[in-house]
Amino acid sequence: MKTIVKISLSVVAGSVLFLTGCNNTPQKATEVKPAKMVSEESLGLRKVDLYSENVVTPDETKYSTEYAGSGKVIERAFQDAPPMIPHDTEGMLPIQIDNNQCVGCHMPEVAVGMNATPIPKSHFTNFRPHHKFDGNKFEKSIDNMKNEIAIKEESTLVNARFNCSQCHAPQSVGQLVENTFSPDFTSKDGASKSSWSGSKLTEGLDTILGE
Ligand code: HEC
Ligand code: HEC
């Protein structure tokens, strides 16, 4: 019992000392530097605080209204990135199974006449696993012990490329945020041309070709 009383007494004495000490000389340990303040206005893309919903006006997306052929082709974002659509796509989107106007101008056999860049070889190459289909049931047709993917050049546009706007977006004027990314193009004309063709498509891949 005695010891407990002694301990609590010394605690009280200690805190009295501490308090008086505090009054006279500020203790080092209590000095906390104020945290760096981050303003609400700097948190997001909008430049107003989080409570001013009524004054928030998003930047307008201004798609190109240039006719096909008169628009300005912009640099690719990086080597072999899908190029942006430089022309108006009014009335062309969404692409439908029985209405894909893009192929009407960009298929290789018509593109030259239309002054349009032909759909590249990669879009005529199937990268998907092969299957057998008996009209009822799908079955894998390749050896499981080998690579799952067989790359095959097709004479028709591969279905995976049919929905052009899934990868190719129309250009829009203006810049919502500053872009500090600058690409290193691995091929000389990589900013304007795709290099992903021929043997480049399969280089270094352990795949069953043309099956
Ligand atoms: C009336 C013909 C026509 C139609 C329809 C058309 N295009 Fe184009 N497209 C052009 C022409 C002409 C150019 C400019 C020359 C060029 O860069 O290919 C062009 C440019 C492009 C480019 C830029 C190519 C590059 O090398 O930078 C892309 C991507 C493109 N079109 C995709 C599309 C998609 C996707 C559609 C369908 C939504 C479409 N186009 C519909 C004629 C057409
Ligand atoms: C799954 C994504 C995807 C789809 C779908 C797709 N593309 Fe592409 N496209 C790309 C990529 C990635 C490139 C650049 C690399 C390459 O050439 O394969 C490209 C390149 C192109 C180029 C430039 C070729 C060159 O020689 O520089 C044209 C033109 C083009 N695509 C048109 C089309 C059209 C038209 C469609 C629809 C019929 C389409 N693409 C569908 C991803 C796609």
Side-chain angles (χ1 to χ4, degrees), residues 3-205:
T3 42
I4 294 174
V5 173
K6 258 190 193 165
I7 289 168
S8 46
L9 269 177
S10 61
V11 168
V12 172
S15 37
V16 170
L17 265 178
F18 177 74
L19 283 173
T20 48
C22 250
N23 281 342
N24 301 334
T25 40
Q27 304 226 323
K28 269 237 155 116
T30 58
E31 264 178 45
V32 178
K33 281 197 176 156
K36 196 173 164 250
M37 294 292 281
V38 178
S39 71
E40 286 178 352
E41 290 83 350
S42 69
L43 285 176
L45 295 177
R46 60 197 215 169
K47 296 296 164 230
V48 293
D49 68 68
L50 299 174
Y51 304 101
S52 310
E53 284 300 335
N54 53 342
V55 292
V56 179
T57 41
D59 276 15
E60 199 188 337
T61 310
K62 296 185 203 116
Y63 290 121
S64 170
T65 51
E66 300 281 356
Y67 291 114
S70 57
K72 193 174 170 288
V73 170
I74 55 172
E75 280 197 355
R76 311 267 163 113
F78 49 87
Q79 182 69 55
D80 296 330
M84 307 225 32
I85 308 172
H87 52 71
D88 202 352
T89 52
E90 185 72 40
M92 298 180 192
L93 301 176
I95 291 164
Q96 282 160 342
I97 197 159
D98 53 0
N99 185 14
N100 185 346
Q101 297 176 43
C102 319
V103 294
C105 290
H106 285 281
M107 276 304 250
E109 57 272 22
V110 286
V112 183
M114 291 292 191
N115 252 337
T117 310
I119 298 174
K121 216 166 172 184
S122 56
H123 296 28
F124 293 84
T125 306
N126 191 358
F127 294 90
R128 296 199 161 168
H130 274 235
H131 288 89
K132 280 190 196 127
F133 183 55
D134 63 5
N136 232 335
K137 205 171 142 211
F138 281 104
E139 255 180 84
K140 272 189 207 153
S141 66
I142 57 169
D143 188 339
N144 263 342
M145 300 306 285
K146 293 184 187 158
N147 199 314
E148 276 277 291
I149 312 287
I151 295 177
K152 188 182 180 194
E153 281 184 22
E154 307 276 4
S155 54
T156 51
L157 184 73
V158 170
N159 286 341
R161 305 285 190 161
F162 186 80
N163 186 22
C164 319
S165 54
Q166 184 185 325
C167 306
H168 296 276
Q171 292 175 12
S172 81
V173 187
Q175 205 170 25
L176 189 59
V177 283
E178 192 196 354
N179 181 8
T180 53
F181 175 76
S182 66
D184 278 337
F185 291 104
T186 46
S187 85
K188 200 163 48 41
D189 49 5
S192 62
K193 236 176 144 286
S194 170
S195 74
W196 213 53
S197 61
S199 63
K200 274 231 170 159
L201 292 172
T202 51
E203 227 168 50
L205 295 177

